[in-house]
Every structure is written in structure tokens, then in C-alpha cells.
């Protein structure tokens, strides 16, 4: 029986080896190589056979696995006989000849578990035993290899040779000539590539590594996992769709519950006065100064609370039913109401709640209903801030009434109505179709900068963008230059400027200048002859925002929600227009003392010391520096709140004393014009400039070109018409201010500047911009063209070199101008004939007769000056203690000096008489001075010895005393009671190239 069992086991081994010959051989070789290359004792650096011994001892503990030596020997002999070559290949090398392990960098990646070679199905019982042992102690890889070799009967191949038993010895291929055979070399290479590294991760073991994988089960399992994943994704997608549907349903229900957004409509025009006075009615009025016509938004009252012009509509307190009615004159869509309190410094009067009613015939009224009751709107909580109330849906009607229900103080109201025009064949003021394709909207700082950049890109050959400085918050004050040669001043080409945004809430001027930039660029590209003539002949500077910080504040509140003062001042609290140095007082004080023009000039008055370090805004300093850099000839600043043009002086001159008035009355030589001027002084103040006629013409050129500025029959925006129907006024007689930009520009530079007030509404709605552009377009262009009115020219020396800072004087006008750096000048004058004199230091003055006609274009009037001997005279005076030159005459016979040329024979008797009169006046002044000195000397305790002098004898000089006045004060004495200018009676009509024919001596 035992022999039969042994034979059966032998047959099974033979069959298994015959079926998987190649597979088992490769696996065995791979395992053997792995075991030899990386034994367990590698970590300790010692070659050891302990794993094999442990496996043998473990097998001995298992009785059903143990084989007799005879059985093992029989199986080994039979196997060796059949496959001797394979046994030789698989024979392990001697322990002393351990091959070098392959480098770790060349180890191939371990194959995936699904790609392991199939192993025979586990039909043997040792599988169960091994699994049971795995649960207790996980066997190592070497132990599993030894178990497999023992089961296959190959354990004797790696056993050491024992004495008395001859084992087949594998030849040493390293010592054989020719090396390994080709087949052996290939197998070795394949085994190295397919090297399986030792596992280091703790993956739970289910069975031996050689167990065959069931790929069918894996495919089914993978398919199940994919189906499960698809089911989960489908369920998640369905859940997302369900949630999305629920959110959309909730949003739809929410939208149904929330009322639609109210319709946005522009103002009807109460603030801008498009709604006329007869369209406003009220139930009553408290007194004559608070009628319904005063109930306009931002209406300003007078300083006198009981004046005819109050700051709101105020109702009679005894009245029971109060209402304020507006007639739109046609059916419109009313969409809202804006209310405001009374403009007053003493009272806090405003309406806090009200109803709104509508009608189409002004008899039957319907109060607005919100679906439950009459809709009560809440009004103001203070008197200045506007409050807007919008309707859910616009109401179509012609008449609207505001029905006040509660109020603070007295019932006073200012209002604006929001309404959209219905489509109709009749033209309305709110339906203006402008002829120019421009961007009619409000621009904040970022939009303004972007628009200027776009215009510059469209017209790079005629435009240039620069900034004149920064605001207190760091925003740049951008300017655009429009000229045929931008960036350079051309000799003979005048410079013009428009500025806007001095007050941040006056936005109309800002938008008009941006529209003007677009218009000039487009029309120049379209070859408009008028625009091309302007651009080629004038260097135009446009500054849309001089106070960008305040504009951003007003822009944030919106067109209708900003009050009268919001954004008016800078961030530091300055009103830029009134923040310039006061040069008027310097000029008028010098005039009263007779210092004009010898001591203090009547033009380019220097700034007082430490002015720029005083209370000047950052923006003001930047504007002053900009004015000084460019030789502007004409300019205007655009403002709002009124509709007129104001020209300087903006400051009132204090009235003169009674002593001065008596002094003028006893003067028999005073003409009628001077007497009329003094009378105006006595009445109040001197307001006119020396160029008053020119300023009036400039103001009228804009006002009369404006489409509606001269329509003053309804009065001004807040009171009576102060322009006399002309649309122009003197600022000092209207609303005088100190340190204005206009006065500073006139007295410190050559520029004639005016203030243009564009309308009653400082911040009009966007829908009103096309109408305002149409009203102002022609006036803006016409005013620029006035820069060519008058004379122009260049002042040079005899060598042709330009003379900068030369003074150009016009006879009869006590305001001079200076030449620019290129020697060119421009003098604005009305048509007429003028005697013009050019003067420069070190040069003899020259006078010319210049004619100004009515044709367009300035009259050329240039000068060529020759050097004079004044430098030598100054040297002589400095050598003699800077004492004055005394004029000496002998028997009215004029002696000429050697340096002075002889008068020409063409001098007529009239000129001789004028010179004699001038000499007589100078002699009288000299005698008056000597008489005063004698009177003062007689009052002292120790009289000074003086010598009486005559005009024909020499004078013994008195003892010198310390002087407290300049030498020119002793030459032209000024009494404390005299306001007469000593140069009024001196006529400078001599030939310009001649000196005065006087003999001079040094005192």
C-alpha cells in the first residue's frame, strides 16, 4: 500500500512538470535568482542558509507534509533524468560565490497584481494549512520559496553536498572559455528585468503569492464597481437637478412677492426753471415772499428773512387744507417726488409727511393708493437734504399735488417732480435731438480720464494731455491742449483757457468742456473750416475739473440728491474761486498814495511775501503756478447756480474819505468823467476796471450767443434780474468777493478772465445735457474767437532779438501788459485808434499809433527799441549818493545837453506849450516842497539854516538828515491829504526816440 501511494505521488509530479514546463522553469529561475541575489541575511551583510533550515524544521513539524528520503531521492532522480539541462540551470550557485545584486536604480517596477502569472489551482491540502498558519504568523517571502521547493522536490538542489553522496555539480560558467551560452545569457537578462522587489508595505495577505488570480471574478467585480459608481453619479445628478429646481422655484416665488423696480424718470424742471412760474400754484402763502413760485428745489433765499424772495413756499398757518400743485401742461408719467425744507439760517422748517394726488382737469383729484390705504410718504428730517419718494408704477396725469400732513416749524416746502414724457408729435424741451454725436452723460474721475485718452487717440496731432497739479487727495487735475502744434508756444499765437469744476457740485461746466473736446476733435477731422481756423490760430487749454475731490463726493450722491453746498468746497474746506491772494487792496492803496506806476505797477502786481506759505489750498497753488507758466490772453471759468456772465472787478473798493472828496471838488481842472467816478466812489465803491468797456464786450459776446441767457423777463434764478436784460453784470455790484480768481488773473497776469454761470441747476440730469450743449455750443466757440480782438505784435531790439517782459502801455487805459518769452504780446481792445508805447529796461521807449478795426483778427503792431543812456544816468546817480537829478530852466529857454539830440523841426506850437505847462507844474511842486520844509523848520526849537533858492541861482544844500523815504518821494512829493496822481498832468507825448531836453545838475 505504501508503494502504491509513492507511485501516485510520483505520477502527479511528472504530469505537473510536463504541462507547465516552461512556466515553472521561468518561475523557478526567477525565484532562485531572487533568493540568491537578495537573501535574508543581506541586511546583516552575512550569507546565511537559515531560511532553508527554518523551512525544513517547520516542515518536520507537519506530519502530513513530511516525505521519506527514499521518496525524495526517487523523485529527484527521475526528474534529473528527464530534464537534466533545466535542473542544471536552476541549480543554485555555491554559497561562497554569491552574485552581486543589481543596482537599485535599475530595478524594474513591480508588476501589477493582476498581471502575475497563473499558478496551479490550489487543490492540495497544504494550502489550507498555510492559510491557517498565516492567520497566526505571516510567513516571509523566503519561507514561502523554500516551502514550494520542498513540495516540488527541488530542495536538494540547494543543499550543501554531504560526504559520501555525490551530487551533480553545475559547471562554473565564468571559468568556461566563451562564457555563458546564449540561452543562459538570455535567461539571466530576462530574470534581471523581471526582478520582483521585496515587499515593504504592510498589505494584508490572503494567500500565497503564487496563488492564481481569478480574472473572471476580477472582471465581474470591476463591472459591479463601475455599475455602482454609475448609479451613484446618476443619483447625485438627480439630487443636484432637484435642488436647482427648488432654488429656481423659490426665486420665482420671491420675485412674485417683491414689487418691480420703480421706473426712473428725469426731473420735470422746477430747479432748472424749465417749469415756468405760472405752472406752480399753492393753496395759500404765509406772506408775499413765500409764494408758490419759490417752491423750487435748491431755491436760495435772500439774507433778509422778510424780503420778497424767501427760501421756499410757505403756507398760511390758519389754512386747513394745504397743497402745492404743478401743471405739466401735458400728460406725463409721474414717477416720484423730491422734497426739501426751507433755505434759512434761522429757522428749521420742513415737511415730514405728505400724500400725493393726481388729476387731468385740476378739479377731480385721486390720491395715490398703495392697495390698502392712501399712500403716506415720509419727507424730510432736516431743511437741506433732499429726500426722494418713488412710486411703484408711474401715474399718467397732467397735474400733481403734494398734500402736506405733518411738518416741523412752519409749513415750508421746496420740491422737484420726476416725470417721463409720453411719446407725442409735439416737441418738448426734454426731447432734444442734438445735431452732434457726442457722449451725453456724467463722467466721474475715471470716466473723464478715459474719455480724454480716447479723444487724444482719435486726434493725436492736435491734442495733448497734461496735468497742472494734484488735489489734496492726490487726484491729478488734468488739462487738454488743442492746437495745431501741441506742446509748444508759437510766437504770435495767443493762448486761451476754459476752466471748470472750481466747485465740485457744479457739474455742467465739467461736462460741457468734455463735450467741447469731442466736438473740436470730430469737426477738425471732418475739416470744418471754422474749427480748423480756431485750432490753427489759437492754443486752447481745457481743464474740466479743478476740484476733483469734491466732484467725486457730489457724483456719488447723484444729480438730484445733492444739496446746494455738498461738494462746493475742497477736502480742506477752501472755496477755490475766493482763495487767491488779494492784489486789489495793494493796487488801490498805491493809487491813493500816488505810487502808480513809478513804485507799484498797474499790472503784474507781485505777490505779497509768504503768500504761498499762507492759507492757500493745494489746488490754488497749482493754478497760480499754471497761470505764471503760460502767457494766457483770455479765459473763463464755468460755474453754476445762476444764468449770467460776471466780469471784474469782483471786489468792492472801499469808499474814499470826505477830505479826499473835498479835495476833488476844489480842483477846477477835473473833467466830468473823473467827477462821475468820484461820485460813484462816494456812493459805495469803485467797481470798474480800466478795461471795463472791453470786459463788457467779452461778457456780451458769450451771453448774447447763448440761446436763453438773455431771457431775463422772469428774473434770475433766485431773485430779480440783476443784468438789466443783458445777461451780464459786474460781480462787485452783484455779489462781491475778496481774492477772486478773476481779479487775480487780471492784476497778476495778462489774462482777462470772466465767470460764466451756466444755469440755475448746478448738477443737471443726464437727460438735460443735450439741451444744455445746444444752448452753449455757439457761445463757447464765439468766446474763443474774441482772443483775436485788439492788437498784437513783437517787441525787438535794433538787432532783431526779442525782448521779453517789455511793457506795452495803451494811452488812456491804466493797465499795461507784458511781452512773453518770445517778445510777443496781445492786447485786447475794442475798435478804435490808440497810442501804444513799448518800454523795456535799458531801452528808449517807442510809441506808435495803432488802429483796431471791426474786421476779425488782431491788428499787427510791433516795436523796435533802441538802447538808451539811462544806464549811464543810474551810474552817475549811484556815484553821488543816489540823489535825484534837478531840472534847471533859464528864462523858459530850453537848453539841450550834449548827450540829448536836438528836437526836430517838426515840433509844433502845441507840443511846446505842453512842455512849458509840464515845466510849470514841476516848478510849482518844487516850490511847494520847499515851503513845507520851511514851515516844518519854523516849528522846531532849533531852526535849521536854510538858503532860499530861485530857479536862476544855485542852491546851498542844507545839512543832510537821515531819510526815511526813497529819492523818488522827494522828487514827487505826496501829501497826506492829496489823492491826486502826480502823473495825471504829465503827458508823455514826446517823440519816443528823444530824451527830455533839460539841463541837469546834481544836488
Amino acid at each position: 500500500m505504501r508503494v502504491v501511494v509513492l507511485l501516485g505521488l510520483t505520477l502527479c509530479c511528472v504530469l505537473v512538470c510536463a504541462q507547465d514546463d516552461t512556466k515553472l522553469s521561468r518561475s523557478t529561475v526567477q525565484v532562485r535568482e531572487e533568493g540568491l541575489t537578495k537573501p535574508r541575511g543581506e541586511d546583516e551583510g552575512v550569507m546565511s542558509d537559515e531560511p532553508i533550515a527554518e523551512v525544513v524544521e517547520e516542515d518536520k513539524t507537519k506530519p502530513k507534509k513530511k516525505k521519506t528520503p527514499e521518496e525524495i531521492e526517487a523523485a529527484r532522480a527521475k526528474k534529473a533524468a528527464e530534464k537534466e539541462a533545466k535542473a542544471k540551470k536552476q541549480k543554485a550557485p555555491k554559497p561562497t560565490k554569491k552574485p552581486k545584486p543589481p543596482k537599485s536604480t535599475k530595478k524594474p517596477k513591480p508588476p501589477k497584481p493582476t498581471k502575475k502569472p497563473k499558478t496551479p489551482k490550489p487543490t492540495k491540502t497544504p494550502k489550507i494549512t498555510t492559510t491557517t498558519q498565516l492567520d497566526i504568523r505571516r510567513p516571509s517571502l523566503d519561507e514561502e520559496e523554500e516551502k514550494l521547493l520542498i513540495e516540488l522536490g527541488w530542495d536538494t538542489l540547494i543543499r550543501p553536498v554531504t560526504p559520501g553522496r555525490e551530487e551533480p555539480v553545475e559547471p562554473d560558467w565564468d571559468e568556461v572559455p566563451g562564457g555563458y551560452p546564449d540561452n543562459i545569457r538570455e535567461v539571466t537578462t530576462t530574470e534581471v528585468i523581471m526582478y520582483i522587489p521585496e515587499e515593504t508595505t504592510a498589505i494584508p495577505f490572503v494567500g500565497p503569492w503564487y496563488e492564481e488570480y481569478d480574472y473572471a471574478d476580477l472582471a465581474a467585480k470591476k463591472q459591479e464597481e463601475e455599475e455602482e459608481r454609475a448609479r451613484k453619479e446618476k443619483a447625485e445628478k438627480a439630487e443636484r437637478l432637484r435642488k436647482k429646481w427648488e432654488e429656481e422655484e423659490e426665486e420665482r416665488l420671491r420675485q412674485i412677492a417683491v414689487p418691480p423696480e420703480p421706473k426712473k424718470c428725469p426731473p420735470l424742471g422746477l430747479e432748472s426753471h424749465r417749469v415756468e412760474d405760472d405752472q406752480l400754484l399753492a393753496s395759500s402763502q404765509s406772506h408775499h415772499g413765500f409764494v408758490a413760485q419759490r417752491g423750487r428745489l435748491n431755491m436760495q433765499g435772500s439774507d433778509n428773512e422778510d424780503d420778497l424772495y424767501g427760501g421756499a413756499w410757505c403756507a398760511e398757518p390758519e389754512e386747513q387744507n394745504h397743497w402745492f400743485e404743478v401743471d405739466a401742461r401735458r400728460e406725463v408719467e409721474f414717477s416720484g417726488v423730491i422734497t426739501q425744507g426751507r433755505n434759512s439760517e434761522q429757522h428749521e422748517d420742513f415737511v415730514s409727511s405728505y400724500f400725493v394726488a393726481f388729476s387731468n382737469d385740476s378739479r377731480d383729484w385721486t390720491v395715490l393708493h398703495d392697495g390698502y390705504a392712501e399712500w403716506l410718504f415720509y419727507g424730510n428730517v432736516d431743511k437741506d437734504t433732499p429726500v426722494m419718494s418713488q412710486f411703484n408704477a408711474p401715474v399718467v396725469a397732467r397735474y400733481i399735488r403734494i398734500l402736506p400732513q405733518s411738518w416741523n416749524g412752519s409749513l415750508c416746502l421746496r420740491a422737484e417732480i420726476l416725470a417721463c414724457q409720453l411719446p407725442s408729435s409735439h416737441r418738448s424741451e426734454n426731447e432734444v435731438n442734438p445735431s452732434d454725436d457726442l457722449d451725453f452723460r456724467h463722467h466721474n474721475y475715471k470716466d473723464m480720464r478715459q474719455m480724454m485718452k480716447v479723444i487724444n487717440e482719435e486726434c493725436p496731432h492736435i491734442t495733448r494731455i497734461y496735468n497742472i497739479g494734484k488735489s489734496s487727495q492726490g487726484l491729478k487735475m488734468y488739462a487738454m491742449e488743442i492746437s495745431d502744434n501741441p506742446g509748444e508756444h508759437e510766437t504770435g499765437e495767443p493762448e486761451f483757457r476754459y476752466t471748470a469744476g472750481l466747485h465740485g457740485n457744479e457739474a455742467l461746466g465739467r461736462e460741457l468742456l468734455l463735450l467741447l473736446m469731442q466736438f473740436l476733435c470730430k469737426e477738425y477731422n471732418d475739416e470744418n473750416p471754422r474749427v480748423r481756423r480756431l485750432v490753427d490760430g489759437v492754443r486752447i487749454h481745457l481743464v474740466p475739473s479743478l476740484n476733483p475731490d469734491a466732484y467725486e463726493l457730489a457724483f456719488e450722491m447723484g444729480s438730484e440728491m445733492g444739496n446746494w453746498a455738498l461738494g462746493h468746497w475742497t477736502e480742506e474746506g477752501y472755496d477755490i474761486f475766493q482763495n487767491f491772494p488779494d492784489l486789489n487792496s495793494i493796487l488801490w492803496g498805491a493809487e491813493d498814495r500816488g505810487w502808480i506806476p513809478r513804485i507799484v505797477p498797474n499790472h503784474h502786481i507781485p505777490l505779497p511775501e509768504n503768500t504761498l506759505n499762507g492759507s492757500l489750498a493745494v489746488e490754488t497753488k497749482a493754478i497760480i503756478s499754471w497761470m505764471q507758466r503760460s502767457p494766457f490772453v483770455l479765459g473763463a471759468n464755468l460755474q453754476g447756480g445762476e444764468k449770467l456772465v460776471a466780469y471784474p472787478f469782483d471786489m468792492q473798493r472801499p469808499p474814499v474819505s470826505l477830505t479826499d472828496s473835498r479835495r476833488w471838488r476844489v480842483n477846477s481842472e477835473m473833467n466830468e468823467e473823473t467827477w462821475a467816478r468820484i461820485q460813484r466812489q462816494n456812493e459805495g465803491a469803485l467797481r470798474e476796471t480800466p478795461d471795463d468797456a472791453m470786459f463788457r464786450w467779452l461778457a456780451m459776446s458769450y451771453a448774447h450767443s447763448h440761446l436763453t441767457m438773455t431771457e431775463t423777463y422772469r428774473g434770475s434764478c433766485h431773485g430779480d434780474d440783476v443784468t438789466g436784460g443783458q445777461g451780464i453784470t459786474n460781480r462787485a455790484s452783484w455779489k462781491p468777493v475778496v481774492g477772486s480768481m478773476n481779479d487775480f488773473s487780471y492784476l497778476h497776469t495778462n489774462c482777462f478772465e470772466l465767470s460764466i454761470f451756466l444755469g440755475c441747476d448746478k448738477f443737471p440730469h443726464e437727460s438735460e445735457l443735450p439741451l444744455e450743449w445746444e444752448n452753449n455750443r455757439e457761445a463757447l466757440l464765439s468766446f474763443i474767437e474774441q482772443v483775436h480782438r485788439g492788437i498784437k505784435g513783437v517787441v525787438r531790439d535794433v538787432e532783431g532779438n526779442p525782448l521779453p517782459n517789455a511793457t506795452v502801455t495803451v494811452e488812456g487805459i491804466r493797465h499795461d501788459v507784458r511781452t512773453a518769452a518770445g517778445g510777443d504780446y496781445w492786447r485786447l481792445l475794442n475798435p478804435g485808434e490808440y497810442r501804444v508805447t513799448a518800454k523795456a529796461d535799458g531801452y528808449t521807449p517807442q510809441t506808435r499809433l495803432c488802429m483796431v478795426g471791426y474786421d476779425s483778427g488782431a491788428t499787427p503792431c510791433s516795436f523796435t527799441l533802441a538802447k538808451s543812456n539811462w544806464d549811464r544816468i543810474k551810474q552817475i546817480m549811484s556815484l553821488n549818493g543816489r540823489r535825484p537829478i534837478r531840472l534847471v530852466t533859464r528864462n523858459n529857454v530850453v537848453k539841450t545837453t550834449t548827450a540829448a539830440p536836438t528836437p526836430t523841426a517838426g515840433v509844433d506850437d502845441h507840443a511846446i506849450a505842453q512842455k512849458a505847462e509840464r515845466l510849470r507844474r514841476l516848478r510849482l511842486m518844487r516850490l511847494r516842497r520847499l515851503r513845507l520844509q520851511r514851515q516844518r523848520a519854523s516849528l522846531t526849537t532849533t531852526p535849521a539854516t536854510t538858503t532860499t533858492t530861485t530857479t536862476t541861482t544855485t542852491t546851498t544844500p542844507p545839512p543832510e538828515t537821515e531819510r526815511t523815504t526813497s529819492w523818488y518821494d522827494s522828487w514827487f512829493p505826496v501829501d497826506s491829504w492829496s489823492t491826486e496822481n502826480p502823473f495825471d498832468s504829465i503827458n508823455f507825448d514826446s517823440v519816443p526816440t528823444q530824451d527830455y531836453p533839460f539841463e541837469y545838475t546834481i544836488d
Side-chain angles (χ1 to χ4, degrees), residues 664 667-680:
W664 280 108
N667 191 346
S668 59
E669 298 181 1
M670 184 168 54
N671 55 26
E672 295 180 359
E673 181 180 357
T674 306
W675 173 255
R677 186 183 67 176
I678 297 305
Q679 292 302 312
R680 289 195 298 270

Side-chain angles (χ1 to χ4, degrees), residues 108-126:
K109 294 183 179 180
K112 296 181 180 179
T114 56
K115 294 184 180 180
K116 288 183 179 179
K118 265 189 177 182
T119 56
K121 294 184 179 180
T123 57
K124 296 182 181 181
T125 54

Side-chain angles (χ1 to χ4, degrees), residues 888-906:
V888 180
T889 58
R890 296 178 180 176
N891 299 327
N892 293 332
V893 177
V894 179
K895 268 191 175 182
T896 60
T897 62
T898 57
T902 306
T904 58

Side-chain angles (χ1 to χ4, degrees), residues 288-572:
H288 55 269
F290 296 90
V291 295
Q293 288 72 25
R294 307 296 299 175
R296 302 175 184 269
L297 192 69
N298 288 319
M299 175 63 71
Q300 301 297 298
S302 60
D303 297 334
N304 185 5
E305 297 291 343
D306 298 328
D307 196 6
L308 292 174
Y309 303 105
W313 161 70
C314 295
E316 173 64 37
E318 301 297 331
E319 187 75 20
Q320 296 297 325
N321 297 322
H322 304 286
W323 49 265
F324 178 80
E325 178 182 327
V326 180
D327 178 11
R329 289 185 176 172
R330 54 178 296 187
E331 289 187 351
V332 296
E333 288 183 330
F334 293 108
S335 64
V337 175
I338 301 175
T339 59
Q340 195 178 29
R342 174 185 175 186
N343 173 246
S344 173
E345 296 181 356
Q346 303 176 3
H347 304 281
E348 284 283 340
D349 300 334
F350 53 87
V351 173
S352 57
S353 65
Y354 58 91
F355 291 123
V356 178
F358 304 94
S359 175
N360 286 325
D361 55 5
S362 73
R363 291 189 300 272
D364 299 329
W365 293 89
T366 302
V367 179
L368 186 62
H369 206 272
D370 61 357
Y372 299 95
E374 293 179 347
W375 195 345
L376 181 66
F377 293 95
Y378 293 99
N380 303 88
V381 295
D382 58 40
K383 62 183 179 180
D384 294 324
T385 306
V387 176
M388 177 187 296
S389 299
Q390 292 181 289
F391 310 147
N392 284 340
V395 179
V396 179
R398 174 177 173 177
Y399 300 92
I400 182 173
R401 276 185 178 179
I402 299 175
L403 310 175
Q405 299 300 308
S406 61
W407 50 88
N408 182 78
S410 301
L411 199 168
C412 296
L413 176 70
R414 291 181 289 174
E416 178 65 83
I417 307 299
L418 304 179
C420 294
Q421 300 293 328
L422 295 174
S424 173
S425 58
H426 302 286
R427 180 181 177 277
S428 172
E429 287 184 337
N430 285 349
E431 299 173 0
V432 176
N433 296 321
S435 58
D436 304 311
D437 184 17
L438 305 176
D439 186 12
F440 295 102
R441 63 185 180 92
H442 288 292
H443 301 78
N444 59 10
Y445 181 79
K446 182 179 179 181
D447 296 337
M448 177 193 73
R449 186 172 56 183
Q450 181 65 25
M451 169 170 282
M452 296 176 69
K453 182 180 178 182
V454 170
I455 296 172
N456 184 32
E457 292 174 353
E458 292 182 0
C459 302
H461 52 291
I462 63 170
T463 60
R464 180 178 71 97
I465 300 176
Y466 66 98
N467 70 85
I468 65 177
K470 291 184 178 181
S471 65
S472 58
Q473 296 297 313
L475 298 181
K476 294 182 179 179
M477 301 154 62
Y478 286 104
M480 174 169 283
E481 176 190 343
I482 302 178
S483 174
D484 59 340
N485 189 16
E488 296 182 8
H489 170 72
E490 300 181 35
T491 301
E493 182 175 283
E495 300 204 16
F496 177 91
R497 70 169 180 250
Y498 270 134
T499 57
L502 287 165
H503 307 134
N505 58 347
E506 296 169 359
L508 181 56
R510 174 193 183 104
E511 300 305 325
L512 286 180
L513 292 190
L514 293 177
L515 294 172
L516 182 61
M517 295 177 191
Q518 302 176 59
F519 177 79
L520 293 177
C521 176
K522 292 179 181 295
E523 295 300 318
Y524 190 90
N525 290 337
D526 295 340
E527 297 185 355
N528 185 327
R530 183 184 185 187
V531 173
R532 280 190 170 266
R533 186 169 58 251
L534 274 178
V535 174
D536 295 341
V538 185
R539 191 182 181 197
I540 305 172
H541 300 259
L542 305 177
V543 186
S545 182
L546 289 175
N547 191 358
D549 298 337
Y551 176 80
E552 292 301 304
L553 180 62
F555 180 83
E556 183 179 357
M557 292 302 298
S559 171
E560 307 302 326
M561 301 309 297
N563 57 30
W564 191 258
L566 181 65
H568 184 86
W569 295 277
T570 65
E571 191 71 19
E572 301 173 332

Side-chain angles (χ1 to χ4, degrees), residues 102-167:
K103 296 181 180 180
S104 58
T105 56
K106 296 184 179 179
K107 290 181 181 180
K109 294 183 179 180
K112 296 181 180 179
T114 56
K115 294 184 180 180
K116 288 183 179 179
K118 265 189 177 182
T119 56
K121 294 184 179 180
T123 57
K124 296 182 181 181
T125 54
K127 176 183 178 182
I128 302 172
T129 306
T130 306
T131 307
T132 307
Q133 293 294 331
L134 285 173
D135 295 338
I136 301 171
R137 176 180 176 274
R138 178 179 173 181
S140 64
L141 186 62
D142 296 337
E143 293 174 355
E144 292 176 356
E145 291 176 2
E146 294 297 333
K147 289 178 183 180
L148 178 62
L149 293 177
I150 292 172
E151 290 177 0
L152 295 178
W154 297 341
D155 57 333
T156 56
L157 297 177
I158 61 174
R159 289 180 182 178
V161 180
T162 58
R165 182 178 297 177
E166 294 182 2
E167 293 290 338

